[in-house]
Amino acid sequence: MAPVNLLTNGTLPPPPVQPEAGYGHYGAAGVSGGLALARQLDERAGINDLPPVSDPRGLAIRLRYLAWDEQGLAWLRLAQVTVTERTMARWRTARQRPLPANLEKIDQAFWACRRHNLVGYYKQRLWDGGRGTRIEIHPVDQQHVAPNRRRDLNLRTINVRTDWRRVVDAWNSGDQQALDDAWNSISDSLGSDHGAYRQVSYIGFGI
């Protein structure tokens, strides 16, 4: 396993969030392609199967993961969670509940560690020896757009080969602007209507 790369500014990227879909021009519902990519990577990392950190089981899962080795403990220290092993054990067994501020730090440390541990695997699988990975691009939802304002947008599929390293690194660091820039580069291959897919409702791919 690669050593922990401590960020020079002493902070961790934020944990993943699942915000409500934004609304685009004339009421089309969607999110940026970069955010849709991040959501899919988070989904593959298990975000939908993991109870929130406020749930005792979700907290225990995160603490067991982080306490597995020195790597995980380093992420906790970087998140400024400084408690004794005895307190950590009490947290894991629900005999003591962390303060809300520590819950947030534990969640942040967990996702920073989880992403870090998946980076190499994701890059290898998505690159697939140069064959790349096929993705499905679902256009924005236009059900709330007036009929005379709707665009003829269909589900598109493309094979992505060269951009995965850039995407995964941006996801790992929580850099939304870099994710959006990577998506803009990918969506350029859609042809003349590529601009209509800057915002999407969903991007799907397997890992």
Side-chain angles (χ1 to χ4, degrees), residues 16-36:
V17 294
Q18 297 289 342
E20 294 296 325
Y23 284 87
H25 203 38
Y26 302 122
V31 298
S32 72
L35 179 55

Side-chain angles (χ1 to χ4, degrees), residues 119-141:
V119 163
Y121 173 74
Y122 273 4
K123 288 178 180 178
Q124 180 181 9
R125 292 284 295 181
L126 293 166
W127 168 247
D128 194 20
R131 290 179 290 274
T133 296
R134 182 165 292 275
I135 66 173
E136 286 188 353
I137 307 163
H138 296 246
V140 292
D141 182 354

Side-chain angles (χ1 to χ4, degrees), residues 8-191:
T8 56
N9 61 4
T11 61
L12 293 177
V17 294
Q18 297 289 342
E20 294 296 325
Y23 284 87
H25 203 38
Y26 302 122
V31 298
S32 72
L35 179 55
L37 285 171
R39 286 183 176 181
Q40 185 68 354
L41 292 171
D42 287 330
E43 180 180 325
R44 297 297 174 178
I47 188 172
N48 293 336
D49 302 320
L50 186 66
V53 70
S54 56
D55 181 286
R57 192 164 64 92
L59 174 61
I61 291 170
R62 286 165 173 80
L63 289 175
R64 281 197 298 269
Y65 188 87
L66 290 165
W68 183 259
D69 59 16
E70 186 59 31
Q71 292 274 334
L73 295 175
W75 289 112
L76 275 173
R77 288 194 295 270
L78 187 57
Q80 299 181 0
V81 178
T82 54
V83 297
T84 65
E85 291 184 8
R86 183 175 180 180
T87 298
M88 193 81 68
R90 292 178 67 85
W91 286 354
R92 285 200 301 270
T93 56
R95 288 177 292 163
Q96 181 177 334
R97 183 173 176 80
L99 295 173
N102 274 329
L103 285 175
E104 292 180 8
K105 292 175 181 178
I106 291 166
D107 195 43
Q108 189 175 20
F110 169 81
W111 283 108
C113 182
R114 179 73 174 147
R115 287 169 169 169
H116 174 82
N117 290 343
L118 286 171
V119 163
Y121 173 74
Y122 273 4
K123 288 178 180 178
Q124 180 181 9
R125 292 284 295 181
L126 293 166
W127 168 247
D128 194 20
R131 290 179 290 274
T133 296
R134 182 165 292 275
I135 66 173
E136 286 188 353
I137 307 163
H138 296 246
V140 292
D141 182 354
Q142 300 184 84
Q143 63 176 325
H144 297 296
V145 178
N148 65 321
R149 295 290 190 180
R150 293 177 185 172
R151 302 184 63 175
D152 185 17
L153 299 176
N154 300 308
L155 184 149
R156 302 287 300 273
T157 60
I158 57 173
N159 197 61
V160 178
R161 291 188 176 90
T162 61
D163 296 273
W164 287 118
R165 180 176 294 274
R166 182 181 178 187
V167 168
V168 174
D169 283 339
W171 169 77
N172 181 41
S173 63
D175 189 338
Q176 188 56 52
Q177 184 58 58
L179 278 163
D180 287 337
D181 290 344
W183 173 248
N184 291 342
S185 176
I186 292 170
S187 62
D188 283 345
S189 64
L190 293 171

